[in-house]
Amino acid sequence: MRYDQPLKVLVTGASGFVGRHLCRHFIEMGYDVRGTCRSSSPILEELPDVEWIRISDISPNTNWSEALDGVQYVVHLAALAHQVGKKGKGRFDEFMRVNAEGTRRLAEQCKF
């Protein structure tokens, strides 16, 4: 790692409410910021200083290598959320696949 260059942070879920505010904060602090998103969104245009990486699906098989390349810090905010009541009924396996197993996959690939 070169100490004369800014540190790079990966923010998963960077296009979400918390993620976009955190990205702005990191940029103000002088970090290089890489964010993940699932698809195009007007939010991406609001954060032109973020290097965007598309991760279409978070699962036990997600390849995070491109997103993790060259980063020193990871803030993991991406998750299946806001699915309560009828929207979330019968989706336990999907929540586990994304939020638990997908997060485990990211953590395993962060080992360096």
Side-chain angles (χ1 to χ4, degrees):
M1 175 171 61
R2 292 184 50 175
Y3 293 99
D4 59 339
Q5 295 182 346
L7 294 173
K8 185 173 284 192
V9 61
L10 169 66
V11 180
T12 70
S15 61
F17 179 78
V18 173
R20 65 181 175 238
H21 290 285
L22 188 60
C23 287
R24 287 185 186 111
H25 180 71
F26 281 135
I27 290 167
E28 289 172 4
M29 292 179 61
Y31 287 86
D32 284 342
V33 178
R34 179 177 293 153
T36 65
C37 60
R38 284 184 289 170
S39 60
S40 294
S41 164
I43 301 301
L44 278 58
E45 296 173 12
E46 289 179 26
L47 297 167
D49 294 328
V50 172
E51 175 191 356
W52 292 102
I53 302 287
R54 296 214 193 298
I55 300 289
S56 60
D57 184 48
I58 298 175
S59 75
N61 301 313
T62 302
N63 182 347
W64 292 95
S65 60
E66 181 182 7
L68 290 169
D69 184 43
V71 302
Q72 287 79 37
Y73 300 104
V74 176
V75 178
H76 182 48
L77 301 173
L80 184 58
H82 310 295
Q83 305 290 318
V84 296
K86 291 180 184 178
K87 287 182 179 180
K89 188 173 182 176
R91 296 178 67 190
F92 179 79
D93 290 343
E94 184 180 6
F95 277 85
M96 289 302 294
R97 181 181 65 80
V98 173
N99 296 351
E101 297 167 20
T103 298
R104 178 183 298 131
R105 175 74 171 174
L106 173 60
E108 290 169 351
Q109 290 186 32
C110 283
K111 295 178 188 176
F112 40 96

